[in-house]
Amino acid sequence: MIDLVPSSPLDGLLPRTVGGCSLSAMTPAFITAITARRGAQAALAAALASAHDLRLPPVGRSSGRGGMRLVWAGQGRYFLWADCPASPTLAKGAALSDHSDAWVVMSLTGALAPEVLSRLCPLDLRASVFRRGHSAAAEIARMPGILRRGAKGFEIAVMRSFAQTAVQRIVDAMTSVAAQSELPDG
Amino acid sequence: MSRLATGGQIDRTQRIPFTFQGQTYLGYRGDTLASALLAQDVRLVARSFKYHRPRGILTAGSEEPNALVTIGTGDQLTPNCRATTQEIYHGLVARAQNCFPGLRFDLMALNDLLAPFFGAGFYYKTFMWPRPFWRRVYEPLIRRSAGLGALSGVADDGRYDKGFAHCDLLVIGAGPAGLMAAQVAARAGLDVILADEDFLVGGRLNSETHEIDAMPASRWAVKTRAALAQMENVRVMRRTTVTGVYDGGTYGALERVSEHLPSGSHDAPLQIFWRIVARRAILASGATERPIAFAGNDRPGIMMAGALRSYVNRFAVAPGRRISVFTNNDDGHRTAYDLAAAGLQIAAVIDTRPEARALGDYPLISGAQVVGTRGRLGLRAITIRTAGGLQEIASDCLGVSGGWNPAVHLSCHLNARPVWRDDIAAFVPAEAAVPGLIAAGAAAGEMSTAGALKSGAHAAATVLKALGKRPVQLTLPRAEDAPMALEPFWHVGGGRGRAWLDFQNDVTVKDVELAYRENFRSVEHMKRYTTLGMATDQGKTANMGALAIMAEMTGKSIPETGTTTFRPPYTPVPLGALGAHGRGKGFAPERLTPSHALLGEMGAPMLEVGLWYRPGWVPHANERHWRQSCDREALMVRASVGVSDVTTLGKIDVQGRDAGRFLDRVYCNTISNLPVGRVRYGLMLREDGMVMDDGTVARLGARHFVLTTTTGGADMVLAHLEFCQQVLWPDLDVAIVSVTEQWAQFAIAGPKSRALVNGLLRRKLGVGAFPFMACGTVRIGPTTARLFRISYSGEHAYEIAVPARYGEALARLLLARARTLGGGWYGMEALNVLRLEKGYVTHAEIDGRVTADDLGMGRMMAAGKDYIGKAMSTRPALCAPDREQLVGLKPAGALKRLHGGAHLFNPGQTPTRENDQGHITSQCFSPHLGHPIALALLRGGRARIGQNILMVDHLRQVETLCEICPPAFLDPKGERLRD
């Protein structure tokens, strides 16, 4: 019997730690693209509440419970990052598409993480502006991605095919920022 | 040694060796290259642009026009570095530019003797004849002899970075006004970025002997910086020049991160180009001292008076032994006062104002002018003119002050013009010149320290009010409040010899007068005619003098004459910094398919398709040429089975109650009646009736479709569908999301494809089951997959999609199984051959100018419904029989060469544009047929099948007689597909 072995483009690339900043893989087991159906926002919110005990986040925000996150990513577009598949009952208010393999998600942590991202992402990521739980569809190192600020740092999602370039660019920025922080203060 | 025994903001415990012109010197930490050279009595540092005149250091800042040097060794050279801003570091190697064989003796100084022939615009007049000589002889000659530093010609391997920063308030300049503004704003809680181009915070405070709150002003700057650095909401960016102002509160800034450190000692970037987005900005960029033009004013040793104070007070350098000052204002007297206080000998202060008074104990000659100078490689004496006549004064250093120009540049980057203020005889920024930007301090014309502090605090308070913040009360520090006392004086008339205005481009008062005489009288014309202000310093020290002279001659006032346009960047920005992250592969991210590693192992060369990397072919060990691999792969598919990765094709999930209706409107053919479990070829038109993209539509459920697009068209089609859904028909219940990345998809094509697929499936496909254009869900072991019976090769073929995590495993399995059946992998080249043999189109044919009818697909356009592009595509001109239509071509004569892009002509007609009949869109060698084939768009092509046409490749001088045939060279009835 054939048994296809799964692989991830992050295999062998992560984790990386440079100068107190760490990049590690955190792709959730299940990612579901949830596209709210016209006029069914309330039905979707209700289905989310009853099936997953999750709140439908407003624009630019995410909601979460346990290991589960619901990330806003565009007009009527959410991604559910979870350990279990999305409940089919969500289909009452939304179109669901399996995206579990479409993304790789990385976590960037450390004191210099905001400085690293400032080299790659044009968004205003100051802690006072882009707070914990905020999310954005963002350009990251010239790649389309999704960015979220979590409890420990930033969560960066890029499409699977971009994974290798994304890791290279982020590690380059980590190296540059770390080296800069070590320069003599003169 | 000319280093003063005490004083200065240098660290005398840290001695730093560096090299200039091959000779090693010692400087101190805190020195610039200019101050370290002056401390070693090196006054001659450069040769001028046009006349190769010996030149020294003029200023102590970024406005320096003269002292430009090349830094680096080997092929890693940075030309045109300003010695006045470059910090010295251990092992710095600098050399002078624009001189041969040496700095002291420069052969090209011959130009100086020929100066009468080299006036403004000389080359337009001198090199007129013979005409062809301009491009071949004169221009190369002029180019070779002109210019300052040169690049090595080898790519710069320095590290550069770029970044984005955001703040409530950007303070540009950390002098008294900037420091004060930053303090007031930061205390009230704003996020502040304080940027200054210097490595010391304080601006002019470091160059003066003033006191603030009864402490040396430079110490106040250090204290204030330390206080700001303690605050979390403040970011002090030293060595950072704000270079440009752009829309929406965006500022460009260049941070010189490690140019002051030996290379190889760290991994930090040399520079970072920042885009700073600020809600508000305060322009506290200070002011630039302006020279007075007089004959022979360019000799090494003649410097700005304020720069002399910088060298003495900040760097503890004696710039000369017998120093004179030439001024039209009180500020020049400060130089004499400070220098005398430092124990230096003042030969004389020459003040143009008859009523001028001395500030201290030094000889003052009022109502006088400097009319000449002496000293070939360095100043030896000056000649002055007083009421009593001419008089020579021995002097090896002359400080000149013609007043101060507020640094208005950034306030003009959005096209505002500065406004004139008579009291300081200078331009200041116009109000609201840049939305959200306020000028403060000397940049706004507040020339005293107290005035600058007050104006900085006031600007910050204005910002706080605008942003709804309450200012925190801060007592203004006490400081000098001397008014600016000056009498405008621009140039000394009547002297013998040239009086220089623009030192960097060698433009003199005479050149401006010539421009006037030849009627280039607008400042913009004068600038271009004389090249004044067009060098890398942008004429920071030159422009005012020149336009004052033009104003004099035209009899207009200076404000009436106006300034030229200020443009970014304020100081030069290396292309390496602007292009940071964009070098080599950094230019574009790479998208890799699930089979990428496998194909790499097989040595397949990769082709770029958009951002994707796809294999061109998969070479066997004995194959020397790509065509060998390509032919083998194409024949293999026709004979047994080939596998190819088609993950890159766009896949779009379309769901919802109205999905069918929606697709009917975006495709020209009908989709809504497609049964579940079936696939249909679809053609999407643009509003203008032209074909946008083609692909397949598979119906997975009653309300669930999956579209495929071409690889290159994926983004465009998704954006188009989103536009249609969100803007045109928001009332439809339809949800669109790209699933391209979710699925790894492989094409399995050839007569043995069914055997290969069946070998994978848990439930085999029965005989006759799963016909052409069927689709459905299957299981490969425990994995759920999607199977499509579609073909882009003309063969019995499938596409199989699995969740991308299984893609690599499936690719390896498919390859292994295909090999056992006599097949293997095929690349893009073979894929192209297969589709051409079958007459299938791609974006080479769908070039944005063809209609469905042109492609022979007119019958697909459904009559009974409306769809995007319908109105236009049914107009007579878009379905006329004489339009260029898709046909096939094959060689009809002895010559068998067909070239993509070559044009088609009727045999016997001259092959010129007027007779053009169309062109070849794609071509290949068909291994199946044994000769080249092509697809072409040919005028009235379908009616000409069977006739001959002449292919002419004008670039390669090839003419091939071709036979026009139907586009499908192979199996026109599609029996192999349906088999």
Side-chain angles (χ1 to χ4, degrees):
Chain A
M1 159 131 154
I2 297 166
D3 194 3
L4 298 174
V5 182
S7 61
S8 159
L10 297 179
D11 290 346
L13 298 180
L14 294 181
R16 293 287 297 272
T17 299
V18 185
C21 209
S22 291
L23 185 69
S24 49
M26 57 159 288
T27 311
F30 295 90
I31 301 176
T32 309
I34 299 175
T35 311
R37 303 248 303 270
R38 183 179 155 70
Q41 199 90 358
L44 174 60
L48 275 164
S50 68
H52 296 294
D53 198 13
L54 280 175
R55 204 166 44 81
L56 196 63
V59 170
R61 302 285 189 274
S62 62
S63 59
R65 183 163 303 279
M68 201 176 277
R69 275 151 216 181
L70 186 61
V71 183
W72 175 91
Q75 194 192 51
R77 169 71 42 79
Y78 308 87
F79 286 103
L80 181 67
W81 297 354
D83 299 333
C84 59
S87 163
T89 58
L90 301 186
K92 285 177 204 159
L96 309 179
S97 294
D98 185 9
H99 263 226
S100 304
D101 295 37
W103 301 87
V104 292
V105 186
M106 293 167 278
S107 151
L108 181 69
T109 57
L112 290 173
E115 191 61 23
V116 169
L117 271 182
S118 79
R119 304 297 164 83
L120 303 168
C121 175
L123 293 186
D124 188 351
L125 300 176
R126 281 178 290 165
S128 57
V129 176
F130 193 76
R131 297 187 204 157
R132 190 177 157 183
H134 285 211
S135 74
E139 180 194 311
I140 298 156
R142 301 186 183 181
M143 286 167 272
I146 297 166
L147 197 62
R148 179 180 178 277
R149 192 192 277 269
K152 291 183 197 147
F154 292 97
E155 292 158 10
I156 303 165
V158 297
M159 289 188 272
R160 182 185 193 91
S161 63
F162 286 113
Q164 187 178 310
T165 306
V167 170
Q168 273 168 10
R169 301 288 158 81
I170 297 169
V171 171
D172 277 353
M174 287 160 66
T175 310
S176 180
V177 167
Q180 205 188 333
S181 74
E182 286 157 12
L183 291 179
D185 181 35
Chain B
M1 286 290 284
S2 314
R3 187 75 74 171
L4 300 171
T6 56
Q9 300 192 56
I10 48 170
D11 181 354
R12 292 180 198 246
T13 64
Q14 290 198 55
R15 304 185 69 149
I16 298 173
F18 67 96
T19 310
F20 178 67
Q21 292 296 83
Q23 184 158 349
T24 302
Y25 300 96
L26 282 173
Y28 293 121
R29 166 115 10 251
D31 261 330
T32 61
L33 180 59
S35 70
L37 286 172
L38 281 175
Q40 303 285 342
D41 263 344
V42 178
R43 297 203 291 170
L44 171 66
V45 295
R47 287 280 175 164
S48 76
F49 173 74
K50 198 153 92 175
Y51 302 120
H52 291 249
R53 301 262 300 174
R55 290 280 167 82
I57 294 153
L58 183 74
T59 72
S62 64
E63 69 273 31
E64 177 63 30
N66 278 346
L68 305 187
V69 297
T70 295
I71 291 179
T73 53
D75 50 28
Q76 293 301 311
L77 300 174
T78 310
N80 301 337
C81 297
R82 286 150 295 171
T84 48
T85 57
Q86 175 64 50
E87 294 160 64
I88 56 165
Y89 54 80
H90 196 102
L92 176 143
V93 176
R95 60 180 179 78
Q97 307 177 149
N98 206 32
C99 53
F100 177 84
L103 186 55
R104 294 183 72 83
F105 176 73
D106 177 10
L107 274 177
M108 288 294 281
L110 197 66
N111 279 2
D112 203 24
L113 300 175
L114 303 173
F117 304 103
F118 289 165
F122 73 97
Y123 36 85
Y124 303 125
K125 301 169 188 167
T126 316
F127 298 112
M128 290 296 287
W129 184 89
R131 264 182 99 86
F133 271 47
W134 173 252
R135 265 188 63 194
R136 301 226 181 94
V137 184
Y138 300 142
E139 196 186 349
L141 203 73
I142 294 168
R143 281 194 185 281
R144 216 175 50 200
S145 45
L148 293 167
L151 293 166
S152 68
V154 174
D156 179 0
D157 65 8
R159 258 175 179 273
Y160 296 90
D161 214 335
K162 69 171 179 183
F164 304 89
H166 303 259
C167 60
D168 297 321
L169 175 66
L170 169 65
V171 180
I172 303 162
L179 284 170
M180 202 62 214
Q183 270 197 99
V184 170
R187 294 270 173 88
L190 292 189
D191 268 353
V192 176
I193 292 179
L194 174 62
D196 193 282
E197 60 179 354
D198 205 336
F199 54 97
L200 278 189
V201 155
R204 277 304 297 177
L205 297 181
N206 292 314
S207 296
E208 307 291 0
T209 47
H210 299 316
E211 291 196 336
I212 295 181
D213 272 352
M215 70 178 99
S218 57
R219 198 187 302 158
W220 180 84
V222 171
K223 232 183 91 185
T224 308
R225 180 200 157 189
L228 288 169
Q230 293 296 314
M231 301 173 79
E232 278 198 348
N233 54 330
V234 180
R235 178 173 189 168
V236 180
M237 298 177 76
R238 289 177 300 145
R239 301 185 177 96
T240 303
T241 310
V242 176
T243 56
V245 180
Y246 306 90
D247 288 339
T250 306
Y251 296 80
L254 182 72
E255 182 183 12
R256 294 174 301 281
V257 176
S258 65
E259 277 187 327
H260 60 295
L261 298 169
S263 59
S265 63
H266 57 83
D267 282 332
L270 283 169
Q271 301 172 332
I272 302 176
F273 189 75
W274 290 96
R275 267 168 265 192
I276 301 174
V277 182
R279 294 172 73 194
R280 291 289 187 282
I282 291 176
L283 181 66
S285 47
T288 308
E289 199 170 15
R290 61 197 183 207
I292 297 170
F294 54 88
N297 62 338
D298 70 330
R299 296 190 196 284
I302 301 178
M303 301 164 72
M304 301 310 306
L308 293 186
R309 296 205 295 280
S310 296
Y311 287 114
V312 170
N313 295 331
R314 174 171 172 177
F315 299 104
V317 168
R321 287 173 183 79
R322 253 178 81 77
I323 300 161
S324 307
V325 175
F326 180 30
T327 184
N328 67 344
N329 63 79
D330 285 359
D331 202 61
H333 290 259
R334 266 201 223 156
T335 300
Y337 181 87
D338 281 6
L339 269 54
L344 300 175
Q345 188 190 354
I346 305 297
V349 172
I350 300 100
D351 196 317
T352 57
R353 301 170 299 175
E355 73 287 4
R357 291 210 182 150
L359 270 182
D361 183 21
Y362 50 79
L364 168 67
I365 306 169
S366 44
Q369 297 156 8
V370 176
V371 294
T373 63
R374 204 153 57 74
R376 201 175 67 83
L377 298 178
L379 184 68
R380 292 214 304 273
I382 58 172
T383 307
I384 65 165
R385 183 170 59 205
T386 61
L390 297 181
Q391 176 189 341
E392 190 171 86
I393 300 173
S395 196
D396 62 349
C397 178
L398 173 68
V400 183
S401 180
W404 291 79
N405 292 328
V408 300
H409 306 63
L410 293 172
S411 76
C412 302
H413 281 183
L414 297 187
N415 219 15
R417 297 281 164 170
V419 292
W420 181 254
R421 250 177 61 181
D422 265 331
D423 59 332
I424 56 170
F427 285 102
V428 292
E431 252 186 64
V434 170
L437 177 137
I438 310 171
E446 290 296 335
M447 295 301 183
S448 73
T449 312
L453 292 166
K454 191 174 159 193
S455 132
H458 183 258
T462 309
V463 167
L464 288 170
K465 198 172 163 203
L467 297 182
K469 290 267 186 183
R470 275 177 89 98
V472 177
Q473 283 304 318
L474 277 186
T475 335
L476 275 180
R478 278 165 292 117
E480 63 83 29
D481 201 8
M484 179 97 179
L486 125 166
E487 177 193 81
F489 190 89
W490 306 103
H491 75 110
V492 178
R496 285 183 62 190
R498 286 161 291 170
W500 306 86
L501 288 166
D502 184 331
F503 294 91
Q504 200 174 112
N505 259 358
D506 268 348
V507 180
T508 65
V509 171
K510 254 188 201 150
D511 292 323
V512 174
E513 287 167 354
L514 182 69
Y516 170 80
R517 282 203 307 278
E518 304 205 337
N519 210 24
F520 293 98
R521 293 179 188 181
S522 134
V523 282
E524 297 284 6
H525 288 157
M526 178 264 283
K527 166 179 168 173
R528 281 152 185 86
Y529 189 66
T530 62
T531 72
L532 182 129
M534 289 170 69
T536 60
D537 68 338
Q538 295 204 6
K540 288 188 180 65
T541 55
N543 291 345
M544 267 304 293
L547 69 93
I549 290 165
M550 186 54 84
E552 241 172 64
M553 282 185 294
T554 52
K556 287 183 185 168
S557 68
I558 291 175
E560 275 174 323
T561 304
T563 63
T564 51
T565 309
F566 296 90
R567 293 189 181 86
Y570 178 67
T571 52
V573 179
L575 289 175
L578 287 176
H581 298 186
R583 190 160 58 189
K585 292 234 170 185
F587 180 68
E590 293 171 280
R591 298 184 82 175
L592 306 182
T593 62
S595 59
H596 191 82
L598 170 65
L599 289 157
E601 289 162 21
M602 292 194 286
M606 288 291 164
L607 306 178
E608 289 174 48
V609 185
L611 298 176
W612 287 101
Y613 283 71
R614 304 184 73 182
W617 58 95
V618 185
H620 276 187
N622 56 345
E623 289 164 354
R624 306 234 170 278
H625 192 272
W626 70 271
R627 263 285 306 283
Q628 292 174 293
S629 310
C630 173
D631 290 1
R632 172 184 49 76
E633 288 171 12
L635 289 171
M636 169 189 80
V637 172
R638 300 256 181 256
S640 57
V641 62
V643 177
S644 169
D645 193 331
V646 292
T647 302
T648 61
L649 269 72
K651 307 175 207 73
I652 300 171
D653 234 11
V654 179
Q655 300 187 58
R657 209 171 39 239
D658 297 321
R661 276 173 74 193
F662 176 79
L663 294 176
D664 277 351
R665 294 180 189 182
V666 293
Y667 282 104
C668 73
N669 48 328
T670 305
I671 304 294
S672 54
N673 60 2
L674 180 69
V676 172
R678 299 290 295 176
V679 185
R680 186 169 288 168
Y681 177 74
L683 207 56
M684 232 178 250
L685 306 187
R686 296 190 313 225
E687 197 73 69
D688 66 2
M690 301 297 163
V691 178
M692 173 189 249
D693 201 52
D694 69 343
T696 60
V697 185
R699 190 160 202 170
L700 302 181
R703 297 177 176 183
H704 189 187
F705 296 82
V706 173
L707 280 46
T708 65
T709 73
T710 55
T711 300
D715 297 352
M716 174 183 67
V717 170
L718 182 65
H720 174 66
L721 296 182
E722 285 182 342
F723 174 81
C724 294
Q725 191 249 324
Q726 293 174 15
V727 181
L728 301 184
W729 312 305
D731 53 313
L732 293 188
D733 175 29
V734 59
I736 300 158
V737 64
S738 166
V739 289
T740 305
E741 296 270 2
Q742 169 64 21
W743 299 94
Q745 194 153 324
F746 300 93
I748 302 156
K752 293 185 181 169
S753 58
R754 196 174 188 88
L756 176 49
V757 169
N758 264 337
L760 303 174
L761 302 185
R762 271 179 32 184
R763 288 184 58 189
K764 316 291 178 212
L765 306 172
V767 178
F770 217 74
F772 181 57
M773 295 306 242
C775 69
T777 301
V778 293
R779 302 287 288 276
I780 303 175
T783 307
T784 303
R786 288 174 178 174
L787 187 67
F788 307 87
R789 172 90 190 267
I790 53 180
S791 174
Y792 193 51
S793 57
E795 295 299 322
H796 182 125
Y798 300 84
E799 287 189 12
I800 191 160
V802 290
R805 72 185 66 185
Y806 302 113
E808 182 171 2
L810 182 59
R812 290 180 188 276
L813 181 66
L814 287 170
L815 175 65
R817 296 282 174 100
R819 280 178 174 162
T820 63
L821 294 168
W825 205 275
Y826 66 103
M828 291 289 289
E829 294 294 349
L831 186 144
N832 192 46
V833 168
L834 295 166
R835 71 102 188 165
L836 276 171
E837 287 176 341
K838 181 64 185 166
Y840 286 157
V841 296
T842 181
H843 274 284
E845 287 73 37
I846 307 173
D847 64 0
R849 298 175 295 179
V850 300
T851 64
D853 185 58
D854 296 342
L855 296 176
M857 299 181 190
R859 280 185 308 169
M860 278 179 70
M861 298 194 288
K865 59 153 191 158
D866 199 8
Y867 53 87
I868 291 177
K870 182 175 188 177
M872 289 297 285
S873 60
T874 49
R875 291 201 176 176
L878 288 199
C879 44
D882 64 341
R883 285 181 59 82
E884 290 187 3
Q885 296 169 335
L886 184 74
V887 294
L889 294 180
K890 57 187 178 188
L895 189 65
K896 305 288 185 201
R897 290 169 66 179
L898 296 179
H899 291 175
H903 281 250
L904 304 172
F905 300 91
N906 290 326
Q909 278 192 319
T910 47
T912 55
R913 182 178 52 79
E914 296 81 3
N915 296 326
D916 187 29
Q917 296 295 306
H919 70 282
I920 292 184
T921 53
S922 326
Q923 60 75 38
C924 72
F925 177 82
S926 164
H928 186 78
L929 302 170
H931 60 74
I933 56 170
L935 290 181
L937 289 166
L938 176 68
R939 214 168 259 281
R942 284 198 290 274
R944 298 163 75 171
I945 284 171
Q947 300 173 9
N948 284 350
I949 195 93
L950 187 68
M951 180 210 86
V952 180
D953 183 340
H954 290 91
L955 290 176
R956 297 176 190 83
Q957 307 290 333
V958 172
E959 294 191 3
T960 305
L961 189 67
C962 306
E963 182 191 326
I964 305 165
C965 48
F969 293 90
L970 177 110
D971 187 22
K973 290 187 184 149
E975 286 157 352
R976 286 169 179 249
L977 292 170
R978 291 179 177 81
D979 154 42

